[in-house]
Amino acid sequence: AEPEYQALVEKVRAAVEGGDCEGAGSLIPELEAELEALHAKAREGEEQVAAAQEDTSKIKEQYLRLNADFDNYRKRTEGEKESLSKNARGSTLEELLPVIDNFELARTQLKLETEAEQKVSESYQNLYKQLVETLKKLGLTPIESVGSKFDPELHDAIMQEETTEHEDSTVLEEYRKGFKFGDRLLRAAMVKVAVNAAPAAKAEAEGVEAEEKAEEEAEEEGEVEGSEES
């Protein structure tokens, strides 16, 4: 169907061409009203488009926010799951430490006097090695002790030995192994630590030695002077 405004335009054109100026003039207000109605519809359409664009932007923003929240939730859930799994493994390994202690204790107490006992010991050691390797694969790590510097975070000093053959705070002996699981300390190692002489005691000993040496030198000088006078 032909739009009304187009029909009005044709009427105005026909009136003008026919010399009917009065008829053409009477159609002008109607044409203006029709054009105003068209402008109103256009403005309404623009407002609807703007509203639709705004709704689209809001929906997109909500989608992005929900997607980000879900991604954060997924990462948090995965992290919590990994943390729970790691804690469970650490607790299980901690419960197995007495088993390792018993293997170590039995190894030190075995007395191999016969070939049969030697075979039993070899089987026992192979079993112990398999256990240790399995626990290492699960993340169990022994703490370095003998020969290393004493670390209060990793070592439990149950004995001290005063010595000058080793640097102060050097671990001399290990009585029970310590273990870690990742960054988590499962058990500190029980050790004996070297302790050098206290500075004050050392200085006092050096002072006494210096005094004795000075007295000896004085006596020697006295003897020399006495022999020269005679």
Side-chain angles (χ1 to χ4, degrees):
E2 187 180 64
E4 290 186 15
Y5 75 89
Q6 190 171 349
L8 287 171
V9 170
E10 291 297 328
K11 288 180 181 180
V12 171
R13 180 182 297 118
V16 171
E17 291 176 353
D20 187 3
C21 294
E22 185 178 350
S26 65
L27 292 172
I28 295 300
E30 189 177 351
L31 180 59
E32 290 177 347
E34 183 64 23
L35 291 175
E36 181 62 29
L38 289 174
H39 283 302
K41 288 182 179 179
R43 286 194 297 270
E44 183 180 353
E46 290 175 355
E47 290 174 357
Q48 290 177 350
V49 170
Q53 289 178 341
E54 184 178 356
D55 290 342
T56 302
S57 298
K58 289 181 179 179
I59 293 173
K60 183 178 180 181
E61 184 179 349
Q62 290 175 354
Y63 167 76
L64 293 175
R65 187 182 297 113
L66 287 173
N67 189 53
D69 290 342
F70 176 76
D71 190 52
N72 291 334
Y73 170 76
R74 179 180 58 79
K75 291 179 180 178
R76 184 172 65 253
T77 302
E78 289 178 353
E80 291 174 353
K81 182 179 179 181
E82 176 63 23
S83 178
L84 288 173
S85 175
K86 190 173 182 181
N87 288 337
R89 278 187 292 161
S91 298
T92 302
L93 290 173
E94 192 171 5
E95 292 178 359
L96 289 173
L97 296 185
V99 178
I100 297 177
D101 294 338
N102 290 335
F103 269 104
E104 290 284 346
L105 180 62
R107 184 177 63 175
T108 59
Q109 294 180 347
L110 282 177
K111 295 181 180 180
L112 309 179
E113 297 178 352
T114 65
E115 184 177 348
E117 290 175 344
Q118 182 66 37
K119 290 181 178 181
V120 171
S121 176
E122 290 176 357
S123 300
Y124 169 86
Q125 292 302 324
N126 289 332
L127 178 62
Y128 178 52
K129 287 179 181 178
Q130 290 177 6
L131 173 63
V132 171
E133 289 301 320
T134 300
L135 295 179
K136 283 183 178 180
K137 290 179 181 179
L138 291 175
L140 187 68
T141 306
I143 294 173
E144 296 294 331
S145 295
V146 178
S148 63
K149 194 78 171 178
F150 174 76
D151 184 347
E153 298 292 331
L154 303 176
H155 302 128
D156 182 13
I158 60 174
M159 289 188 66
Q160 294 181 342
E161 180 178 320
E162 189 170 313
T163 177
T164 57
E165 296 180 0
H166 302 275
E167 292 186 5
D168 193 52
S169 297
T170 299
V171 176
L172 300 178
E173 192 172 346
E174 181 182 65
Y175 298 107
R176 190 184 69 179
K177 284 185 175 296
F179 294 93
K180 292 174 63 180
F181 174 62
D183 296 330
R184 175 182 171 184
L185 177 66
L186 298 182
R187 187 177 72 185
M190 287 185 178
V191 297
K192 177 167 69 175
V193 182
V195 178
N196 295 160
K202 185 176 180 180
E204 183 179 354
E206 291 177 350
V208 171
E209 184 178 352
E211 289 179 2
E212 293 177 350
K213 186 176 181 180
E215 290 176 359
E216 291 177 359
E217 291 177 353
E219 290 178 359
E220 291 177 357
E221 289 179 359
E223 292 176 358
V224 171
E225 290 177 357
S227 61
E228 288 179 353
E229 290 178 357
S230 58

